[in-house]
Amino acid sequence: MAPVLTHLLAAYCIVAAPWLGRALYQKTMKRTEAGDPLAKIKLYRFIVIAQIISSAIILWLCLSGAITATRLGLGAPRSWWLTVALSGATVALLIWSSFSLRKKGAKVREKLQH
């Protein structure tokens, strides 16, 4: 049962979820243009529920032993030094991009106000 569920979940994530997301987004945009104030909230609610269900299935598969934690990428890193260096570089890039994009954001905000 677990291998079948694993393959079904993978197929859903690869094929069905992107198609369904696009269809629901287009439907939501039509509802928003028609004046439905709750259209985006309904879309967000569906997305959160779908993610909770997918996460619960993955957690169940992991706890049942069908998928190991290391296959999900939840193992200890092979090199702590490399992990710390890459994490530091990522944080530095995020800080740099937040400062550089803040300047651009102010310009865009001014254009939108006019």
Side-chain angles (χ1 to χ4, degrees):
M1 168 78 175
V4 172
L5 192 55
T6 305
H7 285 89
L8 286 174
L9 183 62
Y12 170 77
C13 290
I14 294 169
V15 177
W19 177 82
L20 184 61
R22 179 183 162 99
L24 288 174
Y25 178 77
Q26 290 174 345
K27 184 177 179 181
T28 300
M29 289 301 107
K30 287 179 184 176
R31 285 183 175 175
T32 301
E33 291 171 0
D36 183 5
L38 300 177
K40 288 183 181 179
I41 293 174
K42 291 175 186 176
L43 175 65
Y44 298 150
R45 185 178 298 139
F46 175 82
I47 291 170
V48 168
I49 290 171
Q51 289 179 348
I52 289 172
I53 291 171
S54 298
S55 299
I57 292 171
I58 292 170
L59 180 64
W60 177 76
L61 288 168
C62 190
L63 292 176
S64 70
I67 299 176
T68 61
T70 53
R71 290 186 72 189
L72 290 175
L74 299 175
R78 292 182 182 158
S79 169
W80 284 100
W81 293 108
L82 180 62
T83 302
V84 169
L86 289 175
S87 298
T90 302
V91 169
L93 283 171
L94 288 172
I95 291 171
W96 173 78
S97 68
S98 68
F99 284 122
S100 65
L101 291 176
R102 185 172 297 197
K103 295 174 187 175
K104 291 179 183 178
K107 293 177 184 177
V108 171
R109 202 173 314 118
E110 288 178 19
K111 287 181 182 179
L112 290 174
Q113 287 177 352
H114 297 298

